[in-house]
Amino acid sequence: GHFPRACASSKSLMEKECCPPWAGDGSPCGRLSGRGSCQDVILSTAPLGPQFPFTGVDDRESWPSIFYNRTCQCFGNFMGFNCGSCKFGFRGPRCTERRLLVRRNIFDLSVPEKNKFLAYLTLAKHTTSPDYVIPTGTYGQMNHGTTPLFNDVSVYDLFVWMHYYVSRDTLLGDSEVWRDIDFAHEAPGFLPWHRLFLLLWEQEIQKLTGDENFTIPYWDWR
């Protein structure tokens, strides 16, 4: 549900391609540096479950094909919409250096550590995301890409939006909705989706603050 700012133009939407250049060499997906290449999106061929008896009514179906048919496919330990980042657990100019970060129980943090955590969240709430925007309309409302509908969003609210977007009802038109769907919570993807969600959020906070050692503390809710 979050779109690279570089791919929110009518040109990208109408061409259905999101392969922005990596700033390091100026080539799409960092191709000249061997980071990735622009490739066709390969969709799953697994049969659909009976809980969603529709086709072609929800922008999230066969994601992200309603918006883009070609995206950056990254090589090795590179990742990101333009292959400009390292996979989780790696860092360095070629993303070859292993990094080990330790999550801590929030109740074990000192007062200064808690204050720093809250300060980071406050900064995220007041900083516009430099890389991503969010849609304010469906693909159909965007006239199939000719009229992009996107808004800026804070780094913090970007992840509020992502969690909403993946789990909201399906809009069937007029005032009709299909409520028996929740792509992030009522399927086998529950655990891996949220793990990726938290890793991405953590990564954005690290980039925002320059603190590569930042980790999200855990809360033992038992």
Side-chain angles (χ1 to χ4, degrees), residues 8-72:
S9 67
S10 58
K11 180 177 184 296
S12 293
L13 291 169
M14 292 177 68
E15 293 179 354
K16 302 196 75 170
E17 181 174 291
C18 182
C19 295
W22 173 55
D25 64 14
S27 67
C29 314
R31 180 180 57 81
L32 295 178
S33 299
R35 300 178 78 95
S37 66
C38 190
Q39 298 181 25
D40 293 342
V41 173
I42 299 177
L43 300 174
S44 171
T45 58
L48 300 177
Q51 70 271 32
F52 190 68
F54 303 102
T55 301
V57 299
D58 195 311
D59 287 351
R60 299 167 297 178
E61 295 176 51
S62 301
W63 184 266
S65 61
I66 188 68
F67 294 99
Y68 309 109
N69 287 328
R70 288 172 61 79
T71 60
C72 287

Side-chain angles (χ1 to χ4, degrees), residues 16 40 63 67 73 94 96 149 152 159 165 172 178 210:
K16 302 196 75 170
D40 293 342
W63 184 266
F67 294 99
Q73 303 298 306
R94 297 297 300 172
T96 54
L149 296 172
D152 286 333
F159 289 87
Y165 190 80
L172 299 177
W178 177 264

Side-chain angles (χ1 to χ4, degrees), residues 55-153:
T55 301
V57 299
D58 195 311
D59 287 351
R60 299 167 297 178
E61 295 176 51
S62 301
W63 184 266
S65 61
I66 188 68
F67 294 99
Y68 309 109
N69 287 328
R70 288 172 61 79
T71 60
C72 287
Q73 303 298 306
C74 305
F75 305 144
N77 293 331
F78 301 115
M79 67 171 281
F81 62 87
N82 62 355
C83 302
S85 301
C86 297
K87 283 184 178 179
F88 308 115
F90 293 90
R91 63 180 165 191
R94 297 297 300 172
C95 298
T96 54
E97 301 172 22
R98 274 284 188 183
R99 59 186 305 214
L100 177 64
L101 299 177
V102 178
R103 304 194 185 284
R104 297 171 60 195
N105 190 321
I106 195 167
F107 293 113
D108 292 338
L109 300 184
S110 66
V111 171
E113 288 171 332
K114 289 178 183 176
N115 288 340
K116 184 174 75 170
F117 177 54
L118 294 176
Y120 282 2
L121 297 187
T122 299
L123 179 62
K125 289 180 179 181
H126 292 89
T127 302
T128 299
S129 173
D131 294 326
Y132 298 104
V133 292
I134 61 172
T136 57
T138 64
Y139 186 68
Q141 291 170 331
M142 295 185 198
N143 296 316
H144 306 290
T146 59
T147 310
L149 296 172
F150 296 98
N151 267 4
D152 286 333
V153 68

